[in-house]
Amino acid sequence: MGDNREDHEYPDPDDAPRYAWAGTKNLTASFEEIDDYMNDSDPVTPDELAPFEDSQSGTPFFDPDQQTDPHGEIVDPDFQYQDDSDKSDDDELISEADSDFEAPTQPTNLDGRSKFTKGGRGSRGRGRGRGRGRGRGRPGLESGIQRRRGRPKGQGRGGKGIKRGVRKPIEPSPEFKSLHSQATLAFIEGDCDAAEELAKQAIQCNPEIFTAYSLLSEIHMARGDRSRATHALFNGAHTRPRDTVLWSKVAKLIMEIAGDDRASAYLDAIYCYNRVIGSDSSHVEARYERAALHREFGTERRAAYDYVRLLRLLPHDTTVLRNLAEVYIEIGEGARAIDYYEASIAHFQSSQQSSVTAFTWSDLNIYAELFMYSTEPGEIAKGISKVKNVCRWLLNRGEDQFWDHYTQDDREFDATDDPRRLLVPEFDRDKHDLSSYGDGLPLELRVRLGLLRLELGEDHYEEAVRHFEWLAPENTGPGGRIHDYPDLFGEIAEALRLCGLPHEALRFYEPLQKTEEYAGLSFFKNMGSCYHALDLYDEAEDSFRIIMENDEENVEILLKLATMFENADMPNRAEPYVEKIIALKRARALQKTVSRPRSLAYASTKLHKPAASPAKQAMLDPMAGRKPDTRPRTLRRLREAELNEKIQLQYRELLILKHQIEDGESEARVEWMSLAKTLIDEFKKKKTFYPMGVERHRKFTGYPTKIKAHDGEEMETMTGRLEELLDDVQEEISYTAVEYCSISFDYWLDIFLEYAMVLAIGGDKIQAYETIVSATEAKVFHDSKDFMFLIHITWSICALAVDDDETLCGVARYFMKEFQFVTDTYRLFSILNRLCNRQNVWYNNGPTQKYILRQVKAVDFSLMSEERRKTFYEERASYSTKDAAGNPIRAEEMDIALLMAYGFILFTGGSHTFALNYFYRAYALDPGNPMINLSLALGYLHVAIKRQSGNRQYMIIQGFSFLFTYYDLRKRSEFSIERQECEFNVGRAYHMLGLTHLAIPYYERCLDLSGEVQREGGQGAAEDYSTEAAFTLQGHWVASGEVELAQKITTKWLVL
């Protein structure tokens, strides 16, 4: 089951998990743990338990055995249908007790014309309903009380008093017995029509009894209608869900009647085999057949799962091993089968000699091939040693373990003892026959060892070629091995070519020319590349020309030939190929023009052309069809030029309007808005900026400003003589990533952002956000960190303009993610929320709180020792910023602003006690910070005034201790506003506790500092607490009955 992770951070507890039974289509879940077939006590490897994926769609699914019925319900084919009750088979007319077949309320179509799903898969029976899966939870509580879900015991789905479970066998009704007997008699007498009608009536009477379906199937079979017979048997099989023989028979009949259209019957046959396996999970034949079907129709991973289960039933069965290995090789994961083979090899090697024959050279060849798919460092070298060990065992030299020490070569399998085997001190030439060394090794294994040596690098090339020499590639006569092993020749040649050994590769390519099966077009292309690498130009040309004889318009081969001769300083030989390329390009351009005529007159000129193909016309007359005023590319360039000029004029007009707005001309704002929207719409029409599909995930590198074929530049450098002709066919491409329509992308972004801000200031939040989103979706902006920074800054401004606290928190999270562990991002988060003019419910809600907590955990994880990190491994997912090398950037020290931000979130949410924990952590790092001391003081005071405070006096004393520390720090400040702030805050603290007589002196000193604050800050003083202090004093004096003092305070400080 996959976790939903936000920004690849810690899992969000608010995210609900998705379970298989919830009806979702794309599910990712692990298989239930199964025992390893190699050792009952060892579990299957984690790779085997990983979720398989469908080979076509790549979509992970819950279980390879999992199927869905037509309603989308998940059906587990391994579901155990049977209960502990005995099945009654005394009377074949009695229905099966555990049948999941229910009588239809409407007459069913029994003539076999309906789909298979009509019989059983389309209707959910009692045994396969939503609520009857295999229990996976705890069987019960320790106290012995069983855990139950849903309805009370004894109450079934239908209502009160209906019991669920195995139903008693249903006795056939007298009417059924009569109809069935009449149908049987009519069938015996040869009256199939009457027998069919009577059998259908019997089914309508008692649809849960199988014998009527069986009779109907026999009737259709007697008529030769195998399709209807199979349908009838399929419908009847649902009355006997545990009859594995019946379901297997139906599955085989379904595939037989499908004929060539096997794909249409694939799912129905799988459904039948699922029924068999659901009733008997150890049914070997059903698993074999189901795996074969999965493999045939492209769901190889499900086939692999079945073969893994078969290995549990048939431990070390080499046939299953081969099938499993082949499936893994088909999906490119051959290395996953290595462990299975090694377990079986160990089993066979430890068994008696009589069982050794179960593992053959063919099995060893597959085992050796699996190492070619290994990606682990050093795994191939280990594979060579393991393969040689098994070879030695099969050659009855298993006790000669000293050969394992000689890993740099394979001298053990030389043809003769002299010279290399004799250099081994432990070697005794008289101990074993010579045939148990080099001559005893099959050629397939020898070639496999050579290919593995090639994978090890240049130091092992010589040893690899020594193995390949056994094929004697120079012997191409009737007795040559090329006729027996052409596949090995092709495999060796391709491997040598890829390793940069063209000379050795040609020794194996050239003999293959005499075989039709392996001498295809790709073969001649590869062989020509080898000739080219050896500067054998004539031979390379001959190979490439063979391809041209079969594909005259292969531009890739023409370009190879032209490039080869041009680089070899043979322009005369390159010229014909260049001209052919030019002609093909012109012909294709003409074909496009003919297919899309721009006018009736233009189309008529094309309709009266000669019957020859455009390609041949172009080759005969290179200048044919040149109409500069009608060529699509010329017209496209004209349209692009007109669009560019139009957009540039609009942009210049936009700048003029902007200056007019700055000069105070309000009428120009409406025109500017209209023109800006027009330019933005034109920008959004450029599909290159808004790609779809996989292109969205590729980095923006520019867009083509002119049309060019992929090989134009190479052709232009080949010969200067053809420059004019080349320019006539195509133009050089230029990619730009800095401007569009001669307007820099910086200015384009300005248009987007300014337009969004004007909309937001005007109150149109939706349109403003849509404009910003369209800017973020443009690849040219999305792939630039600088552009994205400006976009999100503007986004925050728009959110402030419309007081959107949710968007403010989202934008702040972007900065914290992109600039992780940077103090200013946490300060920006706080100030954006502070500037919002509405009640900010998003500041301390669940998602925001958890995100900031994950940031704190990420810093903690960075500062842990390596030992402790192993305990908290999952926290590493919170790293969201990487350096130039792609490595995650870790925090170097604890960030006080981050601790305080999280503390304030807890504080504003009422969790004052928990907030103190983080305030204390910040205090430990900076005890002389006034704000930290103030926060600690307020935290203790708020805890003290709570109703259930444990030690109220202690909390107040502790709070004032920090409060006066804050007061002393602020009193020493050189700024009067900070001194005034501390006076007000201490007075407010006393006032909150009801000690107004102690608060009044601080409020009065706050008023006395007002003049100094005003002089210090000038006309634009940031803050002045005199108004707040005066208002508080006014309320106190009125409540105390001192009206004159209240009047005096009001007149002096509160009247504007």
Side-chain angles (χ1 to χ4, degrees):
M1 179 176 63
D3 293 331
N4 296 327
R5 295 182 180 272
E6 184 178 9
D7 298 329
H8 303 288
E9 305 282 349
Y10 300 98
D12 193 338
D14 287 344
D15 291 338
R18 303 170 67 186
Y19 298 99
W21 56 82
T24 55
K25 294 183 179 180
N26 296 326
L27 301 174
T28 305
S30 299
F31 295 132
E32 64 171 331
E33 186 171 345
I34 60 176
D35 294 333
D36 191 351
Y37 78 100
M38 299 170 283
N39 189 333
D40 291 340
S41 62
D42 295 334
V44 179
T45 61
D47 289 338
E48 297 162 8
L49 297 177
F52 290 95
E53 291 182 351
D54 188 283
S55 60
Q56 295 177 345
S57 65
T59 303
F61 56 86
F62 179 69
D63 192 311
D65 294 337
Q66 172 181 302
Q67 301 291 334
T68 57
D69 65 13
H71 299 282
E73 295 299 325
I74 294 173
V75 179
D76 185 359
D78 285 351
F79 177 85
Q80 300 297 325
Y81 291 87
Q82 65 270 28
D83 290 285
D84 294 333
S85 59
D86 295 331
K87 174 182 175 183
S88 176
D89 293 326
D90 296 336
D91 188 348
E92 66 174 1
L93 295 181
I94 296 177
S95 68
E96 188 170 338
D98 199 20
S99 170
D100 64 349
F101 194 93
E102 294 182 359
T105 56
Q106 299 294 334
T108 53
N109 187 357
L110 302 175
D111 63 357
R113 298 179 185 273
S114 60
K115 296 278 187 182
F116 288 118
T117 52
K118 282 229 176 181
R121 258 192 316 175
S123 59
R124 220 174 24 249
R126 289 185 181 269
R128 303 288 286 182
R130 283 192 178 94
R132 293 194 61 190
R134 189 167 41 204
R136 297 178 185 256
R138 294 180 296 173
L141 302 178
E142 295 179 359
S143 61
I145 301 175
Q146 296 294 322
R147 295 169 59 89
R148 296 198 304 270
R149 300 180 187 175
R151 303 172 184 85
K153 183 176 180 181
Q155 182 175 342
R157 182 174 299 176
K160 182 177 180 180
I162 299 178
K163 297 183 179 180
R164 300 184 61 186
V166 178
R167 294 179 296 173
K168 294 181 179 181
I170 299 177
E171 287 285 346
S173 64
E175 183 182 359
F176 175 87
K177 293 180 180 180
S178 175
L179 290 170
H180 184 268
S181 299
Q182 294 176 42
T184 304
L185 182 60
F187 179 55
I188 293 173
E189 294 175 351
D191 190 354
C192 293
D193 293 338
E196 178 184 357
E197 184 63 29
L198 290 169
K200 289 182 179 180
Q201 293 179 19
I203 292 173
Q204 291 287 351
C205 183
N206 280 106
E208 66 277 357
I209 298 179
F210 172 73
T211 53
Y213 295 95
S214 178
L215 177 58
L216 182 61
S217 177
E218 292 293 336
I219 294 170
H220 288 309
M221 192 67 72
R223 289 171 167 173
D225 193 342
R226 294 171 58 85
S227 177
R228 288 190 177 184
T230 304
H231 279 80
L233 200 61
F234 178 86
N235 290 334
H238 289 83
T239 67
R240 293 190 174 181
R242 296 180 295 179
D243 192 337
T244 58
V245 176
L246 175 59
W247 281 105
S248 297
K249 178 181 178 180
V250 172
K252 292 176 181 178
L253 285 173
I254 288 173
M255 297 308 296
E256 287 177 7
I257 65 175
D260 296 334
D261 190 16
R262 291 172 60 84
S264 62
Y266 159 63
L267 292 178
D268 293 313
I270 291 294
Y271 172 78
C272 295
Y273 286 124
N274 287 346
R275 285 280 187 165
V276 177
I277 297 171
S279 298
D280 181 6
S281 60
S282 62
H283 200 288
V284 173
E285 181 184 358
R287 285 202 180 273
Y288 260 121
E289 295 296 336
R290 189 173 72 171
L293 287 174
H294 280 314
R295 188 175 175 186
E296 178 183 354
F297 293 100
T299 52
E300 290 89 353
R301 293 188 183 275
R302 300 187 179 191
Y305 175 75
D306 271 332
Y307 288 130
V308 171
R309 297 294 295 269
L310 279 169
L311 283 175
R312 295 180 59 199
L313 304 173
L314 306 172
H316 315 298
D317 185 284
T318 55
T319 303
V320 180
L321 281 172
R322 292 174 192 173
N323 287 321
L324 179 61
E326 291 171 1
V327 169
Y328 277 137
I329 290 173
E330 289 171 4
I331 61 178
E333 299 177 4
R336 293 185 62 180
I338 292 177
D339 292 338
Y340 296 101
Y341 266 89
E342 290 181 349
S344 294
I345 290 171
H347 167 75
F348 290 128
Q349 287 181 336
S350 62
S351 301
Q352 298 297 327
Q353 189 70 19
S354 59
S355 65
V356 172
T357 56
F359 194 86
T360 64
W361 290 107
S362 299
D363 300 311
L364 180 57
N365 188 42
I366 297 175
Y367 173 60
E369 184 180 355
L370 295 176
F371 287 100
M372 300 291 293
Y373 298 90
S374 179
T375 58
E376 294 294 329
E379 194 67 25
I380 293 179
K382 295 179 183 178
I384 293 175
S385 298
K386 294 176 181 179
V387 171
K388 292 197 299 182
N389 181 280
V390 181
C391 290
R392 194 180 312 123
W393 169 64
L394 289 175
L395 292 170
N396 297 319
R397 293 189 295 104
E399 70 278 4
D400 293 347
Q401 298 296 324
F402 59 87
W403 291 110
D404 293 336
H405 303 295
Y406 299 91
T407 58
Q408 293 302 313
D409 55 51
D410 303 323
R411 64 182 69 186
E412 177 184 0
F413 298 104
D414 286 352
T416 60
D417 297 335
D418 186 42
R420 297 200 300 175
R421 269 204 299 267
L422 293 177
L423 299 177
V424 179
E426 300 90 344
F427 172 65
D428 183 2
R429 64 189 310 172
D430 298 327
K431 185 176 180 180
H432 298 285
D433 187 74
L434 190 63
S435 62
S436 63
Y437 291 98
D439 293 335
L441 188 66
L443 281 176
E444 292 88 346
L445 261 298
R446 189 175 291 280
V447 170
R448 197 63 56 199
L449 285 173
L451 294 174
L452 289 172
R453 288 286 177 187
L454 288 179
E455 294 291 329
L456 293 179
E458 297 182 2
D459 295 339
H460 297 264
Y461 285 174
E462 182 180 354
E463 189 67 22
V465 173
R466 187 187 293 269
H467 282 297
F468 300 151
E469 291 292 344
W470 281 72
L471 290 174
E474 286 75 16
N475 183 8
T476 59
R481 286 174 171 166
I482 178 61
H483 304 291
D484 297 326
Y485 303 100
D487 55 333
L488 295 182
F489 273 74
E491 195 172 356
I492 292 171
E494 181 66 10
L496 290 170
R497 183 184 69 85
L498 294 176
C499 290
L501 301 173
H503 181 269
E504 296 294 340
L506 285 172
R507 294 179 60 208
F508 294 89
Y509 271 130
E510 290 175 344
L512 283 172
Q513 296 181 80
K514 299 183 179 181
T515 62
E516 296 181 0
E517 183 179 356
Y518 291 91
L521 296 182
S522 61
F523 161 79
F524 287 105
K525 177 182 175 182
N526 295 335
M527 189 167 67
S529 300
C530 291
Y531 284 128
H532 184 194
L534 297 173
D535 295 335
L536 300 174
Y537 303 117
D538 293 336
E539 290 81 354
E541 185 179 22
D542 291 340
S543 297
F544 290 141
R545 287 180 69 85
I546 293 175
I547 301 176
M548 295 302 302
E549 291 174 0
N550 294 274
D551 185 7
E552 295 181 358
E553 299 184 0
N554 194 319
V555 178
E556 179 186 0
I557 298 301
L558 287 171
L559 186 58
K560 279 182 176 292
L561 287 164
T563 306
M564 179 180 69
F565 288 121
E566 183 67 22
N567 294 336
D569 197 19
M570 300 179 184
N572 294 332
R573 298 184 67 175
E575 183 176 335
Y577 299 111
V578 175
E579 291 177 346
K580 285 185 179 181
I581 295 173
I582 296 171
L584 286 172
K585 292 297 180 182
R586 182 179 293 112
R588 291 175 182 176
L590 290 174
Q591 286 176 341
K592 292 181 180 179
T593 306
V594 171
S595 62
R596 297 179 64 181
R598 301 195 60 79
S599 65
L600 292 176
Y602 182 76
S604 65
T605 62
K606 295 298 177 184
L607 293 174
H608 291 86
K609 288 289 181 182
S613 65
K616 292 184 178 180
Q617 293 178 31
M619 290 181 181
L620 294 173
D621 184 9
M623 304 301 292
R626 294 185 59 188
K627 293 187 177 183
D629 57 332
T630 56
R631 287 186 302 169
R633 290 179 177 175
T634 302
L635 294 174
R636 191 185 307 170
R637 288 198 300 271
L638 290 174
R639 287 196 299 269
E640 290 179 355
E642 293 175 359
L643 178 62
N644 290 352
E645 183 178 0
K646 174 184 175 183
I647 290 178
Q648 291 173 20
L649 289 174
Q650 290 176 338
Y651 179 68
R652 285 195 288 270
E653 184 179 354
L654 190 76
L655 294 178
I656 295 173
L657 291 172
K658 183 178 179 181
H659 290 302
Q660 292 177 355
I661 294 172
E662 293 174 350
D663 292 339
E665 299 182 17
S666 57
E667 297 81 4
R669 181 181 297 276
V670 178
E671 296 182 23
W672 184 93
M673 291 284 290
S674 176
L675 202 54
K677 187 178 187 304
T678 301
L679 287 171
I680 290 174
D681 291 341
E682 290 292 341
F683 186 91
K684 290 162 66 175
K685 290 179 182 178
K686 189 70 175 178
K687 294 182 179 180
T688 309
F689 299 151
Y690 297 89
M692 304 296 291
V694 296
E695 295 295 331
R696 297 184 61 184
H697 306 289
R698 296 178 181 173
K699 185 174 180 60
F700 180 79
T701 57
Y703 66 95
T705 56
K706 296 181 181 179
I707 303 171
K708 167 193 178 287
H710 71 280
D711 51 0
E713 186 177 351
E714 296 185 40
M715 290 189 294
E716 188 175 350
T717 59
M718 290 179 185
T719 169
R721 184 182 65 79
L722 300 172
E723 181 177 358
E724 181 179 357
L725 189 57
L726 285 171
D727 288 343
D728 183 67
V729 177
Q730 56 195 353
E731 298 182 4
E732 179 183 3
I733 192 170
S734 63
Y735 281 84
T736 176
V738 296
E739 63 180 26
Y740 172 56
C741 294
S742 301
I743 302 174
S744 171
F745 287 136
D746 295 317
Y747 297 139
W748 278 109
L749 182 60
D750 289 344
I751 297 173
F752 274 88
L753 301 185
E754 290 175 0
Y755 182 69
M757 284 191 290
V758 173
L759 288 172
I761 294 172
D764 193 346
K765 179 176 73 171
I766 296 177
Q767 289 295 327
Y769 286 175
E770 287 180 355
T771 304
I772 294 177
V773 170
S774 64
T776 60
E777 292 176 348
K779 286 293 291 181
V780 62
F781 301 141
H782 182 273
D783 292 345
S784 171
K785 287 188 176 181
D786 293 338
F787 286 156
M788 291 299 288
F789 180 85
L790 292 174
I791 290 172
H792 282 82
I793 286 292
T794 305
W795 208 337
S796 65
I797 295 173
C798 294
L800 285 172
V802 296
D803 290 330
D804 185 357
D805 55 336
E806 179 181 0
T807 301
L808 284 174
C809 288
V811 172
R813 287 179 63 166
Y814 166 82
F815 288 113
M816 288 187 285
K817 176 181 171 231
E818 293 297 322
F819 305 94
Q820 194 177 25
F821 307 138
V822 177
T823 301
D824 286 343
T825 61
Y826 307 124
R827 292 175 176 168
L828 181 64
F829 165 75
S830 300
I831 195 172
L832 286 177
N833 284 279
R834 171 65 180 83
L835 292 174
C836 188
N837 292 326
R838 57 178 290 183
Q839 182 180 1
N840 197 335
V841 297
W842 281 88
Y843 173 69
N844 59 356
N845 73 339
T848 304
Q849 176 180 337
K850 293 163 191 172
Y851 183 83
I852 301 299
L853 178 58
R854 289 196 292 271
Q855 299 296 309
V856 176
K857 289 182 178 180
V859 178
D860 289 338
F861 181 79
S862 298
L863 303 178
M864 286 180 183
S865 61
E866 289 296 333
E867 293 75 13
R868 295 202 63 194
R869 281 179 186 167
K870 295 177 181 179
T871 308
F872 301 95
Y873 180 80
E874 68 278 3
E875 305 299 345
R876 277 183 18 181
S878 293
Y879 295 145
S880 59
T881 308
K882 297 181 179 180
D883 57 18
N887 300 317
I889 298 176
R890 294 179 175 178
E892 297 179 355
E893 59 182 0
M894 177 54 68
D895 197 309
I896 297 176
L898 175 60
L899 292 173
M900 294 299 294
Y902 187 63
F904 287 138
I905 290 175
L906 294 174
F907 188 93
T908 55
S911 301
H912 305 105
T913 304
F914 296 108
L916 287 173
N917 294 329
Y918 293 90
F919 292 154
Y920 263 119
R921 291 185 63 181
Y923 179 80
L925 296 173
D926 188 6
N929 190 303
M931 284 306 301
I932 297 177
N933 282 273
L934 177 62
S935 301
L936 283 166
L938 293 177
Y940 274 111
L941 292 177
H942 279 82
V943 173
I945 61 177
K946 285 187 175 181
R947 181 174 60 86
Q948 295 180 344
S949 179
N951 194 336
R952 201 180 309 275
Q953 290 77 9
Y954 170 79
M955 296 294 178
I956 294 174
I957 294 172
Q958 192 74 13
F960 272 96
S961 174
F962 286 108
L963 183 64
F964 283 114
T965 302
Y966 152 78
Y967 182 81
D968 293 339
L969 291 171
R970 281 299 199 210
K971 286 293 288 184
R972 294 195 293 267
S973 173
E974 58 180 314
F975 300 106
S976 58
I977 181 61
E978 294 182 353
R979 297 196 301 272
Q980 186 191 43
E981 170 202 300
C982 71
E983 299 288 352
F984 179 80
N985 285 334
V986 174
R988 188 70 186 87
Y990 278 125
H991 197 167
M992 181 175 63
L993 296 177
L995 303 175
T996 52
H997 64 287
L998 298 177
I1000 291 173
Y1002 291 96
Y1003 285 144
E1004 290 177 345
R1005 284 196 289 270
C1006 177
L1007 295 175
D1008 295 340
L1009 288 169
S1010 177
E1012 187 177 348
V1013 169
Q1014 294 295 332
R1015 289 191 300 271
E1016 185 179 274
Q1019 209 172 16
E1023 287 184 277
D1024 184 358
Y1025 295 94
S1026 60
T1027 303
E1028 288 83 355
F1031 182 78
T1032 305
L1033 285 173
Q1034 178 203 48
H1036 171 69
W1037 295 130
V1038 170
S1040 301
E1042 299 290 342
V1043 179
E1044 294 183 0
L1045 289 176
Q1047 182 67 34
K1048 183 177 180 182
I1049 290 290
T1050 303
T1051 303
K1052 183 176 181 181
W1053 299 102
L1054 300 179
V1055 176
L1056 298 178

